[in-house]
Each structure stands twice: as structure tokens, then as C-alpha cells.
Amino acid sequence: MKILLIGASGLIGTAVHKTFVDRGHEVLTVGRSSGELRFDLTDPERVGALYATAGPVDAVVSAAGDVPFKPLPDLTADDFRAGFAGKVLSQVELVRQGLAHVRGSFTLITGVLAREPIVSGSVASLANGAIESFVRAAAIEIAPLRINAVSPTVVTEALDAYGDFFPGMPPVALADVAQSYVRAVEGPLTGQVFIP
């Protein structure tokens, strides 16, 4: 397959990239400041330009999405807008504009905070919940194209930096997260949220 991978240079994106390449797929990497294709996908016009540059692909895989982490009393309306644009609208645009360019499936990223909130994570919880709802809704409209999401908790390889923010939550290995992406892209299911 020809796979367009958004956020390929991040921790999860790097593991997903290696996994798909090892499985024999052609992977085009996309990022704001690194990757074969460089686009800021918070701008809908840039999403269109990305598809025009990449040409037809079999799958779009997203491992990127920015949200601010602050206590709720410190969050501004702009913080919520930025988080919604950075994680929700950017991924929704990948799907909306990708309908004419993608032959197989979309896989978006969400996260554990849709199910288990943490202190200072309300923007992430909002964004993740929105993505999961969107995936379920879009699946019934875009068939025969498929759409799924991968929803990891904190990854084992990032426990030193982020483990304290996820008290008591069992971590997941990057390899297991990458396998959830494989399941979403290569498997037959649609409208699913895969929890590695």
C-alpha cells in the first residue's frame, strides 16, 4: 500500500513508520518541520495542497495532534480553539478532503483521556472524545472507504517524561500501539476505536 503518515517524526509516528515499512508498504512521511512532505495541517488549504502533492494513496494514517495541557481555570477560549484545531479539525480535514484521494482507509489518533481524564487534560479529553465520535459517524457515510482511530494511553517509552501525569494507568509499549495501526489499516473493520 501507499500510506500517507502524518506526524511521522514523533514518538508514535516513528514506531508506526518503521512498522509499516517493515511490512513492505510505501510510506510518505508528513510533518510541519520534518518529513518528506512538510505541511501545517491546521490550515485547510494546506491539507488540499498535501493531497495535490501526494497524489492518490491507499491509506492516511495520523499520529499527530497538538493540545494545550493546563488546569481548567487557566485555560482560555483560545486554548480550546487551538486544541480543537490542532487535534480535531486538522484530522477531520484529512478525511473530508481525502475522500477524493484515498482508496482504502483513514486512521486517526485519539487517546486514553477520552475515557479517563486527568488534571490539566480537559482540552485533550474534549478533542479525543470528538475524534472518537467523528470516526463512528463518518464510518456510516464514507463506505466503502474505512475509518478507524487508535487510542493509546501513555507509552512505556515516554514514562520518564509523562508517567506522573497518568497515575495508575498501565502504560503501553510503542510496538503495541503500532500494531493497532496495522490492524486499522490492513484489517477489515471500520468505525472502530482500537485501544492497544
Side-chain angles (χ1 to χ4, degrees), residues 18-130:
K18 181 180 184 318
T19 299
F20 279 126
V21 168
D22 288 349
R23 294 179 68 80
H25 299 295
E26 175 190 355
V27 180
L28 279 173
T29 59
V30 182
R32 281 187 197 153
S33 57
S34 64
E36 296 163 288
L37 303 174
R38 297 189 184 177
F39 290 91
D40 179 356
L41 301 182
T42 60
D43 178 351
E45 288 185 12
R46 303 303 295 151
V47 174
L50 168 63
Y51 281 120
T53 302
V57 295
D58 296 296
V60 172
V61 170
S62 178
D66 293 330
V67 295
F69 284 85
K70 295 181 188 176
L72 186 58
D74 298 337
L75 286 165
T76 65
D78 285 340
D79 289 326
F80 278 97
R81 281 198 260 312
F84 202 75
K87 188 154 191 182
V88 180
L89 296 180
S90 58
Q91 293 191 93
V92 167
E93 280 299 303
L94 282 171
V95 177
R96 190 182 72 80
Q97 293 192 45
L99 294 175
H101 304 277
V102 176
R103 297 180 285 243
S105 70
F106 300 90
T107 303
L108 309 183
I109 189 164
T110 170
V112 68
L113 300 186
R115 302 176 303 282
E116 297 185 48
I118 62 170
V119 173
S120 300
S122 60
V123 176
S125 292
L126 172 77
N128 291 343

